[in-house]
Structure formats: C-alpha cells, structure tokens
Amino acid sequence: MAHRSAITGRYISNAAAARHPRTTVTEAGSNKSAGTHNRSAITGRYISDAAAARHPKTSVTETGK
C-alpha cells in the first residue's frame, strides 16, 4: 500500500505515515470512478468541495479516469 501526504500530495514512507497519521492517506488499489472526489485524510470519508476548500491540509482531491 502507498501512503500519500494530504499536505504535499507526495508519496511518503511507512515511517512518515506512522508519525503523521492525521495528514496521511493510505491508498489501496486505484481510483476507477469518473470525476473528481475529495477525501478527508483524517476520517477517510468523501467530503464536499466546500469542506475540502475549508481544510486544504487535511483533504486529498482524487481524479478518476
């Protein structure tokens, strides 16, 4: 599994993910849905565009194919 920082968008190591769990998103598989979706790095749930704009350091925008 790959870990991505919600702040920078870059992939990070397992150790860095363990140190910063609230700002890390663990990716499993691929995003196969169409469109753009926002996900909270803290809860892992999908959030609205407005919520993602309010919390840019703890949300990740996923773009489908």
Side-chain angles (χ1 to χ4, degrees):
M1 282 195 233
H3 304 286
R4 186 180 291 269
S5 168
I7 296 171
T8 65
R10 292 182 169 181
Y11 287 103
I12 59 175
S13 67
N14 291 337
R19 285 192 307 270
H20 307 286
R22 289 181 58 91
T23 58
T24 301
V25 175
T26 301
E27 299 177 342
S30 63
N31 185 8
K32 296 181 182 177
S33 63
T36 302
H37 308 286
N38 301 301
R39 185 183 294 272
S40 169
I42 297 170
T43 64
R45 293 183 174 187
Y46 288 107
I47 57 174
S48 66
D49 291 334
R54 284 193 307 271
H55 307 285
K57 289 191 174 188
T58 58
S59 61
V60 175
T61 300
E62 301 173 342
T63 304
K65 298 196 186 293

